[in-house]
């Protein structure tokens, strides 16, 4: 995974029609969510909706977590906290990871299908530039470090990875391992919040923030060690 990872200008031109379709569809969906379903970005409402499904709650939660990667109406870690409060730390983390891996695979495959022009319409320029730089310098190891950072959105990261030569099974491993620590912390925080253990919640959040800061500060060194 070295060198520039994206398609040629010829491929860009060939995909213009598909870009238009994807961009229009995304815009319509965003407007529809904002106008008719703003509660999709409300963790409390999502919790209530999942609980209302009764025995199908785990399946419903996995579906919501999958959709958040594709549509990104709410951060995955916030949903992981909801999962922790509903199902406990271990089960909540497991359900979150199943959903996140499934959603990441879908975004990855869609990006591979429609190409860089579509992704550039939907992902911020600075995210594209950061991905280019990290992937060019560190390859798969650099991508793994990005997955360790909760501030880098799942949808953007997986879409960009879909433009690279990375294999789907490699992406699945990177997502499952790289996202696990922060999602487990979020689920544990959600579980303790439900039990009113707010000191533990503050400690878990603090651990997550410090760990993320350390990973960011030493990201190049960590990528070199992993690689």
């Amino acid at each position: 995974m070295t060198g520039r990872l994206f398609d040629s200008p010829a491929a860009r031109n060939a995909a213009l029609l598909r870009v238009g379709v994807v961009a229009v569809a995304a815009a319509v969906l965003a407007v529809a969510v904002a106008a008719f379903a703003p509660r999709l970005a409300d963790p409390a409402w999502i919790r209530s909706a999942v609980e209302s499904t009764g025995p199908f709650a785990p399946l419903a939660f996995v579906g919501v977590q999958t959709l958040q990667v594709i549509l990104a109406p709410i951060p995955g870690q916030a949903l992981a906290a909801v999962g922790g409060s509903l199902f406990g730390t271990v089960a909540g983390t497991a359900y979150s990871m199943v959903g996140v891996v499934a959603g990441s695979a879908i975004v990855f495959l869609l990006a591979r299908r429609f190409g860089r022009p579509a992704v550039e319409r939907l992902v911020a320029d600075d995210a594209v530039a950061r991905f280019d730089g990290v992937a060019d310098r560190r390859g798969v190891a650099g991508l793994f470090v990005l997955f360790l950072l909760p501030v880098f959105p799942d949808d953007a990261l997986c879409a960009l990875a879909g433009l690279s030569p990375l294999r789907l099974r490699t992406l699945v491993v990177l997502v499952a391992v790289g996202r696990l620590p922060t999602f487990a912390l979020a689920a544990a925080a959600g579980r303790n919040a439900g039990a009113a253990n707010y000191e533990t919640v503050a400690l878990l959040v603090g651990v997550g923030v410090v760990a993320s800061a350390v990973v960011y500060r030493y990201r190049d060194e960590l990528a070199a060690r992993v690689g």
Side-chain angles (χ1 to χ4, degrees):
M1 215 167 105
T2 58
R4 298 295 291 178
L5 300 177
F6 300 127
D7 295 340
S8 65
R12 180 193 302 266
N13 293 334
L16 281 178
L17 179 59
R18 289 176 291 176
V19 170
V21 172
V22 172
V24 170
V28 170
L29 181 60
V31 171
V33 169
F36 302 108
R39 290 182 296 181
L40 289 178
D42 181 0
W45 181 84
I46 290 174
R47 176 193 171 109
S48 176
V50 169
E51 283 183 314
S52 69
T53 61
F56 299 103
L59 184 61
F61 180 77
V62 169
V64 172
Q65 192 67 278
T66 300
L67 286 175
Q68 73 80 17
V69 179
I70 302 170
L71 304 179
I74 185 173
Q77 287 79 6
L79 282 182
V82 172
S85 67
L86 286 173
F87 309 111
T89 300
V90 175
T93 300
Y95 296 147
S96 283
M97 293 310 302
V98 170
V100 169
V101 169
S104 297
I106 291 170
V107 171
F108 177 88
L109 293 173
L110 287 174
R112 183 149 291 178
R113 171 67 178 83
F114 290 104
R116 176 173 179 166
V119 173
E120 287 183 333
R121 287 289 189 91
L122 303 175
V123 178
D125 291 341
D126 63 334
V128 175
R130 276 186 289 165
F131 180 88
D132 267 342
V134 172
D136 285 349
R137 294 195 311 272
R138 297 299 185 185
V140 173
L143 185 56
F144 172 72
V145 172
L146 290 180
F147 274 114
L148 285 173
L149 294 170
V151 294
F152 210 121
D154 295 314
D155 58 332
L157 194 50
C158 294
L160 293 167
L163 304 179
S164 77
L166 192 75
R167 294 183 178 183
L168 177 60
R169 62 174 177 264
T170 304
L171 175 88
V172 167
V173 173
L174 291 176
V175 173
V177 178
R179 287 307 195 202
L180 180 60
T182 54
F183 275 76
L185 280 173
R191 179 65 171 176
N192 281 278
N197 297 326
Y198 299 118
E199 291 184 358
T200 302
V201 172
L203 176 62
L204 291 169
V205 172
V207 169
V209 171
V210 171
S212 297
V214 170
V215 170
Y216 182 79
R217 171 63 179 83
Y218 296 102
R219 59 193 181 279
D220 288 335
E221 293 87 341
L222 181 59
R225 288 180 177 274
V226 174

